Amino acid sequence: MITIHGMADSGNCYKPRLLMALLGRPFRHAEVSWRDGGTASKAFRQKTPIGKIPLLETGDGRFLPESNAILCHLGEGTRFVPDDAFERARMLAWMFFEQYSHEPNVAVRRSLLCYPEMADVATPERLASTLRGGNSALEVMEERLAGHDWLVGDAPSLADIALYAYTHVADEGGFDLAAFAGIRGWLARVTALDGYRPRDWLPGA
């Protein structure tokens, strides 16, 4: 059985848990957090030198970091990966967008506001910058979702899982989704998927 090492409160760590729930696949969760120094421990760094979570541990002892790489591995051959090569590339484009444009603003601003450990770097300038960048990323999503149910094609894909993780808690970062009707409808469709579990769900809990 695989183990997903991660922090229960992290959106990046929620992504693979959500996918596994949607697929109905068993896995173990091992809590590791940067907040208590767990990701910097010698034992964890032996598993992954970059010291980042989530970290996938396979049943045969291999390790895979990076949330979207984990999604691609776990999603291989499932209904969440389009059959068409170009549609798969479009899915990946949204996943790259998530890590390059969305997460550094929406997720980071949430962290700045929610975690006391980050208070010293939550400067007014950084909060303003991430607010602007986050709203720009949400506008890109809204442009697609105002006229489509899903980010790629006519069915949910890994791109929807990747972007759902932090978008559905964007309000915790001070983002107002009232003006993003397309996004709000999409969020409701994700939560209606068979097997959906919320962020605080852990296997066996």
Side-chain angles (χ1 to χ4, degrees):
M1 184 183 296
I2 71 167
T3 299
I4 299 174
H5 301 264
M7 180 177 164
D9 186 54
S10 161
N12 280 327
C13 298
Y14 175 42
K15 295 175 192 177
R17 294 202 310 272
L18 177 56
L19 176 60
M20 292 294 277
L22 293 171
L23 294 173
R25 292 181 178 174
F27 69 100
R28 298 186 183 93
H29 168 79
E31 184 71 15
V32 183
S33 174
W34 58 267
R35 300 183 70 185
D36 60 8
T39 57
S41 70
K42 181 178 179 180
F44 188 71
R45 289 299 178 98
Q46 287 176 337
K47 295 180 175 70
T48 173
I50 63 174
K52 293 178 65 176
I53 49 175
L55 178 70
L56 175 71
E57 181 177 357
T58 65
D60 58 4
R62 292 175 294 170
F63 297 96
L64 180 66
E66 299 292 346
S67 61
N68 287 349
I70 295 171
L71 284 184
C72 288
H73 174 67
L74 297 176
E76 184 76 20
T78 72
R79 65 185 184 278
F80 293 102
V81 178
D83 292 329
D84 180 76
F86 190 77
E87 293 297 277
R88 287 197 302 275
R90 291 181 64 219
M91 177 191 77
L92 291 171
W94 278 109
M95 295 171 77
F96 295 145
F97 163 84
E98 187 268 339
Q99 285 289 281
Y100 187 76
S101 300
H102 186 281
E103 195 268 357
N105 292 294
V106 177
V108 168
R109 196 171 200 275
R110 173 183 174 270
S111 295
L112 292 171
L113 294 174
C114 292
Y115 299 135
E117 298 90 339
M118 300 192 70
D120 59 335
V121 293
T123 63
E125 294 79 12
R126 194 172 187 194
L127 288 172
S129 174
T130 50
L131 182 63
R132 288 192 302 271
N135 277 319
S136 294
L138 293 170
E139 287 167 5
V140 171
M141 293 177 65
E142 179 69 16
E143 184 175 355
R144 164 69 186 183
L145 293 168
H148 301 84
D149 285 348
W150 306 104
L151 291 169
V152 178
D154 299 320
S157 73
L158 299 181
D160 296 287
I161 295 172
L163 278 153
Y164 176 82
Y166 280 113
T167 303
H168 86 291
V169 291
D171 63 311
E172 296 178 6
F175 295 95
D176 184 2
L177 296 182
F180 300 101
I183 290 178
R184 287 187 282 107
W186 166 76
L187 292 174
R189 287 187 288 278
V190 174
T191 61
L193 291 173
D194 186 37
Y196 171 86
R197 295 292 184 274
R199 184 186 59 186
D200 60 0
W201 171 81
L202 297 173

